[in-house]
Amino acid sequence: MKFLFVYTQKGIFDIAFALKGMGHSLVVMDETAVQADTTAHQPYLDTVRERLMAEHFDYVITYLYIPELSDICETCHTLYIAWVYDSPLLSVFHASVYNSCNRIFIFDEQFCNRLHKIGIEHVYHLPLAANTLRADALAVTDEDRTRYSCDLSFVGSLYEHNMYNDFHSHLPREILIPVNHFLLHELCNWKQPRQWPILPDAVLNRLHALHAESDQLMEFDFPEEYYWGIQLLSRKLAEMDRITALNTLAETHIVDLYTQSSGQLTENVHLHEPVDYYTELGKVYQLSKINLNFTLPTIESGIPQRIFDILAAGGFVLTNIQPEMSDYFDPGQDFAVYHDLDELKTLTDYYLTHEEERRAIALHGQETVRTNYTYEKILQQVIFICEESRKDF
């Protein structure tokens, strides 16, 4: 089959590597990184349109979902595969999501079900994957061991830049009190998925006035209170979760944080610059005794990319529980899970002092990913689903 891979901002090339390795014909367009978080015209996509009009492709494929690219594929009668690793991806809140050319693959079952309920076809639920070939080729030097070896590490954002921080000074006290109560109640509480509160009309009206891009939500019938609950609260809760957990662990352990965030609210946490996804990230994962995962609260049920990447590198994962974990993994055998802050502290102490058990779990998790969740295996399922549904296009 012939694929046109269009590179996206915040994307990687693992899909392209896998398709090439599987023997498919592949054209990569990476001269410009296409943005998923905009509805504005992107002139580079005119080049994609010209390519599709001049040459036959079975599929266009991208990370994330690009509304304008979907419209182009609809016009050119070419199937468009979007591999989505963010949930909910805001670019999906666009009328183009109804295009018949779309084959959108979402790793969060709850969000996928929400889209089905409002009549969006050709949205499919599949887990994410890892590039195990790159992980297996990882060459760790003595210098790497000195640089990256640690007890506890976390690689990710602290989300200090969020809508709540931007807008809370514009919201009246009677609105902020219940919102803040929700945030404090949910802080470091991973026992069950967060249920976003239904925001009253007064809050929705104020948010519309403050947020210029809100009109795109009106292009199709998506529950407004769900959209705005996530927009206003989820990343603020992520900030609170991550800073609280890291600071708590840093009271008794050495914690290394690799991030683009400023880390101004962290205490005793060792801050590092971000690491390169292709050449350094796997070394951090492999050389950390415990790799922490704090799932972004917007991910209601799914398993984030971070866990697949850590396991592929042979790292040990200590993660908050997610509903879908037992569907694809064996929690306790492939990784360790916590439900609240106290359990996070207890398990951290335990696994730092039980090296043999920790290594056995890391090895089991790595083998599970190698067996079931390589890009090649998941892409085989993607292609099968797309070929089966081609008759509907």
Side-chain angles (χ1 to χ4, degrees):
M1 293 182 186
K2 190 172 183 179
F3 290 82
L4 178 64
F5 176 82
V6 181
Y7 180 63
T8 52
Q9 194 175 64
K10 301 179 182 178
I12 53 177
F13 288 93
D14 286 344
I15 286 175
F17 294 148
L19 289 172
K20 193 70 174 177
M22 293 165 71
H24 294 288
S25 176
L26 180 71
V27 173
V28 175
M29 297 189 68
D30 61 351
E31 294 85 356
T32 299
V34 178
Q35 298 180 56
D37 56 355
T38 180
T39 57
H41 174 59
Q42 301 182 65
Y44 176 69
L45 289 176
D46 292 335
T47 307
V48 178
R49 185 197 307 273
E50 293 168 3
R51 191 74 182 254
L52 290 178
M53 293 177 67
E55 190 174 347
H56 170 75
F57 289 91
D58 294 293
Y59 298 102
V60 173
I61 188 167
T62 65
Y63 283 100
L64 304 176
Y65 172 76
I66 315 299
E68 186 180 0
L69 182 56
S70 172
D71 286 337
I72 290 171
C73 289
E74 187 79 356
T75 301
C76 296
H77 203 70
T78 303
L79 286 171
Y80 172 40
I81 299 173
W83 176 295
V84 177
Y85 59 80
D86 196 6
S87 183
L89 180 65
L90 296 185
S91 64
V92 173
F93 296 99
H94 188 272
S96 65
V97 78
Y98 288 106
N99 287 342
S100 62
C101 67
N102 292 332
R103 300 295 182 269
I104 304 173
F105 291 86
I106 294 175
F107 73 100
D108 188 284
E109 187 173 26
Q110 284 291 92
F111 182 54
C112 189
N113 290 340
R114 291 181 188 277
L115 296 178
H116 284 151
K117 286 179 181 178
I118 60 173
I120 298 174
E121 297 183 15
H122 303 307
V123 177
Y124 307 92
H125 171 239
L126 280 178
L128 296 173
N131 186 335
T132 55
L133 295 177
R134 182 173 63 246
D136 291 345
L138 197 64
V140 177
T141 66
D142 290 340
E143 182 181 353
D144 293 329
R145 290 185 176 88
T146 300
R147 182 176 182 182
Y148 298 119
S149 294
C150 66
D151 285 349
L152 298 171
S153 74
F154 177 66
V155 182
S157 174
L158 298 182
Y159 289 102
E160 301 110 322
H161 302 292
N162 57 71
M163 183 180 286
Y164 178 94
N165 289 348
D166 291 340
F167 293 162
H168 80 278
S169 62
H170 300 281
L171 297 174
R173 183 173 179 273
E174 62 269 20
I175 291 174
L176 283 176
I177 289 176
V179 165
N180 289 342
H181 182 269
F182 167 83
L183 290 171
L184 291 173
H185 180 269
E186 294 296 331
L187 175 62
C188 293
N189 177 10
W190 297 280
K191 294 181 177 68
Q192 57 190 13
R194 274 70 183 253
Q195 299 296 320
W196 305 108
I198 297 177
L199 300 177
D201 290 342
V203 179
L204 297 179
N205 292 336
R206 187 66 62 94
L207 290 173
H208 279 303
L210 294 170
H211 201 266
E213 296 180 2
S214 62
D215 287 345
Q216 76 179 67
L217 179 65
M218 299 301 100
E219 294 181 353
F220 62 91
D221 183 23
F222 198 86
E224 190 174 12
E225 65 278 4
Y226 167 76
Y227 175 88
W228 285 112
I230 286 180
Q231 280 282 73
L232 181 65
L233 300 175
S234 64
R235 281 168 172 74
K236 179 61 180 178
L237 186 55
E239 177 194 20
M240 294 169 61
D241 278 346
R242 295 179 179 194
I243 290 174
T244 300
L246 292 172
N247 285 344
T248 299
L249 293 173
E251 292 174 359
T252 52
H253 300 285
I254 298 174
V255 178
D256 288 84
L257 169 64
Y258 294 85
T259 186
Q260 292 181 331
S261 302
S262 67
Q264 290 180 344
L265 296 179
T266 59
E267 297 179 358
N268 301 319
V269 175
H270 294 194
L271 292 174
H272 303 274
E273 294 292 321
V275 288
D276 183 80
Y277 186 83
Y278 298 103
T279 61
E280 298 175 290
L281 183 60
K283 297 176 182 180
V284 174
Y285 289 157
Q286 188 177 113
L287 296 172
S288 300
K289 292 180 181 177
I290 294 178
N291 293 279
L292 299 166
N293 177 63
F294 309 105
T295 304
L296 187 64
T298 56
I299 301 174
E300 296 179 86
S301 64
I303 306 171
Q305 183 68 52
R306 182 184 295 108
I307 289 181
F308 291 89
D309 289 339
I310 296 171
L311 294 178
F316 174 86
V317 181
L318 180 54
T319 175
N320 64 285
I321 191 70
Q322 285 286 102
E324 291 183 50
M325 284 179 171
S326 58
D327 294 337
Y328 301 104
F329 292 97
D330 187 355
Q333 296 296 315
D334 291 314
F335 43 71
V337 297
Y338 58 86
H339 299 77
D340 55 34
L341 191 58
D342 286 339
E343 191 175 17
L344 170 61
K345 293 162 58 180
T346 299
L347 290 176
T348 297
D349 294 339
Y350 178 84
Y351 284 110
L352 283 177
T353 56
H354 290 74
E355 182 174 357
E356 186 174 337
E357 186 175 349
R358 189 182 71 238
R359 289 186 173 181
I361 291 173
L363 183 62
H364 195 282
Q366 184 181 43
E367 187 59 33
T368 298
V369 168
R370 284 175 173 171
T371 303
N372 300 316
Y373 305 114
T374 65
Y375 270 95
E376 290 79 6
K377 286 185 177 296
I378 302 301
L379 280 169
Q380 285 176 358
Q381 297 181 57
V382 167
I383 293 169
F384 176 80
I385 290 170
C386 291
E387 287 296 291
E388 286 290 299
S389 67
R390 185 177 287 278
K391 62 181 178 295
D392 300 329
F393 181 54

